[in-house]
Amino acid sequence: IGKILSRFPIEPRYARMLIAANKFSCLNEILVIVSALSIADPRERPMDKQQQADQSHSQFKDEKSDFIAYLNLWNFFQDQRQHLSQNKLRKLCKANFLSYVRMLEWRDIHSQLLNQCNEVKYKINTTVAGYDAIHQALLSGLLSHTGLKNDEGEYQGARNTTFSIFPGSSLRKKRPSWIMAAEMLETQRHYALTVAQIDPLWLEKQASHLIKKSYSEAHWEKRPAQIAAYEKSTLYGLIINPRKKINYGPIDPILSRELFIRGAFVDRE
């Protein structure tokens, strides 16, 4: 993974997403999103026309993910580009509060990354990837930018941080239980920028090498005939699974044997 990461001329967390995208067969979509994250946002919001800009940009929004908005914007631009002259395309961008220069920059970076993917023999998917595949690939590079909603409606993040969803996000009102963010903004408060809803089970798969586990209440269970215990898993201090019942035998064989003898033989079970 490290050798392939070094071949991509972008931030390592974004390169990690491309490696995961190859595995999840969603490289076509992740290339678009990663190249968008590598530049300044092409959506413009002039101070005197904020409401009109927000209204225009709402056509690209997605209820569950701000990352999908980039895909929607890309598809819109690519579609218009095929049958409009350069001058008309400029006017279209201006009418939709988009930076024409940044849209071209986006295309340039996308082209460079596509060539790099071809060099490492990554396969571009031809069928449209689903939500889960796209966001699991993105999550591989954003493991420290995840959060769980607390009782106050804010989010508990990695390393004991607390943050809110940035007001411009389409998820601001919905506030799902688990989210990931492309970036964390620190002002007087902490904000998550470019946010998406995620399944915490994805974290257990993507961050298996980083998750810390602790065990409690080891006990003999008659019906499955094994020693059970409760597992607590955390990622950078963030509790992913507070109480998962597991087979404790392989984890602590010595204690499990003692509990087995006591429960199964001494208590005649």
Side-chain angles (χ1 to χ4, degrees), residues 167-219:
S169 171
S170 56
L171 283 80
R172 174 75 173 181
K173 290 181 181 177
K174 191 178 179 184
R175 293 184 189 176
S177 296
W178 281 90
I179 61 167
M180 66 175 172
E183 191 181 345
M184 293 295 179
L185 177 68
E186 292 184 36
T187 55
Q188 290 178 332
R189 294 177 66 187
H190 283 222
Y191 286 108
L193 304 178
T194 314
V195 175
Q197 181 178 332
I198 60 166
D199 186 334
L201 293 177
W202 298 346
L203 281 169
E204 293 195 46
K205 295 175 187 174
Q206 297 293 326
S208 58
H209 58 301
L210 297 168
I211 286 175
K212 291 183 178 178
K213 296 177 180 179
S214 58
Y215 305 93
S216 61
E217 299 176 48
H219 60 281

Side-chain angles (χ1 to χ4, degrees), residues 105-231:
E105 187 186 352
W106 186 0
R107 289 192 68 246
D108 284 345
I109 292 175
H110 179 272
S111 179
Q112 288 173 37
L113 293 177
L114 180 60
N115 290 337
Q116 206 69 46
C117 285
N118 289 331
E119 279 186 28
V120 294
K121 294 182 169 55
Y122 277 3
K123 193 176 180 182
I124 308 296
N125 54 299
T126 50
T127 54
V128 178
Y131 184 95
D132 287 11
I134 292 169
H135 290 81
Q136 283 187 78
L138 291 170
L139 182 62
S140 67
L142 300 173
L143 295 173
S144 61
H145 288 184
T146 55
L148 169 65
K149 188 167 71 173
N150 59 25
D151 296 335
E152 288 79 43
E154 291 192 312
Y155 287 86
Q156 192 66 38
R159 302 179 183 93
N160 208 28
T161 56
T162 305
F163 61 88
S164 302
I165 297 175
F166 194 71
S169 171
S170 56
L171 283 80
R172 174 75 173 181
K173 290 181 181 177
K174 191 178 179 184
R175 293 184 189 176
S177 296
W178 281 90
I179 61 167
M180 66 175 172
E183 191 181 345
M184 293 295 179
L185 177 68
E186 292 184 36
T187 55
Q188 290 178 332
R189 294 177 66 187
H190 283 222
Y191 286 108
L193 304 178
T194 314
V195 175
Q197 181 178 332
I198 60 166
D199 186 334
L201 293 177
W202 298 346
L203 281 169
E204 293 195 46
K205 295 175 187 174
Q206 297 293 326
S208 58
H209 58 301
L210 297 168
I211 286 175
K212 291 183 178 178
K213 296 177 180 179
S214 58
Y215 305 93
S216 61
E217 299 176 48
H219 60 281
W220 159 253
E221 287 197 345
K222 184 178 178 180
R223 287 195 72 178
Q226 67 182 28
I227 304 303
Y230 294 100
E231 179 185 270

Side-chain angles (χ1 to χ4, degrees), residues 81-95:
R81 197 177 136 268
Q82 287 177 5
H83 55 264
L84 288 181
S85 66
Q86 191 175 344
N87 195 35
K88 285 184 178 178
L89 197 58
R90 278 180 183 275
K91 288 179 180 177
L92 181 80
C93 285
K94 192 174 181 180

